């Protein structure tokens, strides 16, 4: 991966800090036909920094690009991710929510997933559950969403609901370390 996000300072519980971290999604450059406008050039320059793991350095160019092209889903998505990577959680959430408001885009399912991660980091567990559900409905990996949902339910104090979410899973996911961890932690919380 190109970087790992830590949404809040390490002074909080180390377990929660570990749970709130994630790898920044990769960026695949798109070849544009014709001459790119200033916003597209700014976006490409910022994404060069993003690809090098310089998320803070990419933010100004992505902000300018997103202001220039407010309905461009890629610009909004990667700006949101960079802001989360730079521990600007509220601004990252705002940008990802603006992307969600655009409607059906190639980034909608991932936007919901990262909104869930950010909500969990802020300990807003009901919002995390809702965002995991929206991500799964939009087409994000259903097993990953269910595991995140169970984790958020458990942290919200509803271990019974978390166990029900885990019981609904079947197949290869039941052999993963994440599933086994979530199941063990949930059973221990009952």
């Amino acid at each position: 991966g190109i970087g790992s996000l830590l949404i809040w300072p390490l002074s909080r519980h180390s377990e929660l800090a570990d749970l709130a971290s994630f790898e920044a999604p990769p960026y695949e450059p798109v070849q544009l036909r014709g001459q790119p406008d200033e916003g597209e050039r700014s976006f490409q320059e910022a994404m060069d920094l993003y690809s090098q793991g310089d998320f803070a350095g990419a933010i100004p160019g992505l902000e300018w690009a997103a202001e220039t092209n407010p309905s461009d889903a890629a610009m909004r998505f990667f700006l949101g991710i960079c802001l989360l990577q730079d521990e600007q959680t509220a601004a990252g959430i705002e940008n990802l929510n603006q992307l969600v408001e655009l409607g059906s885009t190639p980034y909608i399912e991932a936007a919901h997933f990262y909104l869930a991660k950010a909500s969990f980091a802020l300990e807003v567990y009901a919002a995390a559950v809702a965002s995991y559900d929206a991500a799964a409905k939009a087409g994000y990996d259903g097993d990953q969403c269910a595991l995140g949902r169970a984790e958020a339910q458990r942290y919200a104090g509803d271990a019974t609901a978390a166990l029900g979410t885990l019981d609904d899973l079947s197949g290869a996911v039941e052999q993963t370390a994440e599933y086994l961890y979530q199941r063990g932690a949930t059973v221990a919380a009952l």
Side-chain angles (χ1 to χ4, degrees), residues 10-166:
L10 285 175
S11 62
R12 297 219 184 186
H13 304 129
S14 64
E15 178 188 357
L16 288 175
D18 289 343
L19 295 172
S21 66
F22 61 84
E23 291 285 320
Y27 169 69
E28 298 293 327
V30 177
Q31 293 295 80
L32 300 173
R33 295 183 187 179
Q35 293 288 65
D37 64 24
E38 287 184 52
E40 292 163 341
R41 277 193 300 277
S42 178
F43 175 72
Q44 289 305 323
E45 290 168 7
M47 292 313 294
D48 287 344
L49 294 170
Y50 177 96
S51 295
Q52 296 168 23
D54 184 1
F55 306 110
I59 291 171
L62 288 171
E63 286 176 329
W64 193 87
E67 288 174 20
T68 305
N69 299 308
S71 63
D72 187 297
M75 293 175 187
R76 187 69 54 201
F77 176 73
F78 286 106
L79 175 56
I81 295 299
C82 282
L83 290 164
L84 292 177
Q85 290 281 10
D86 196 43
E87 298 182 25
Q88 297 181 49
T89 308
I93 288 172
E94 179 182 335
N95 273 277
L96 292 175
N97 278 326
Q98 289 172 358
L99 170 61
V100 167
E101 290 171 10
L102 292 176
S104 183
T105 74
Y107 297 95
I108 191 78
E109 66 274 356
H112 283 297
F113 183 78
Y114 293 112
L115 280 168
K117 287 288 209 177
S119 296
F120 183 87
L122 294 176
E123 301 179 43
V124 184
Y125 303 121
V129 167
S131 290
Y132 280 124
D133 289 345
K137 184 177 178 184
Y140 202 85
D141 182 320
D143 291 342
Q144 290 301 309
C145 292
L147 291 171
R149 182 179 207 276
E151 179 178 61
Q153 290 169 321
R154 180 170 48 85
Y155 271 84
D158 194 351
T160 302
L163 188 59
T165 297
L166 294 169

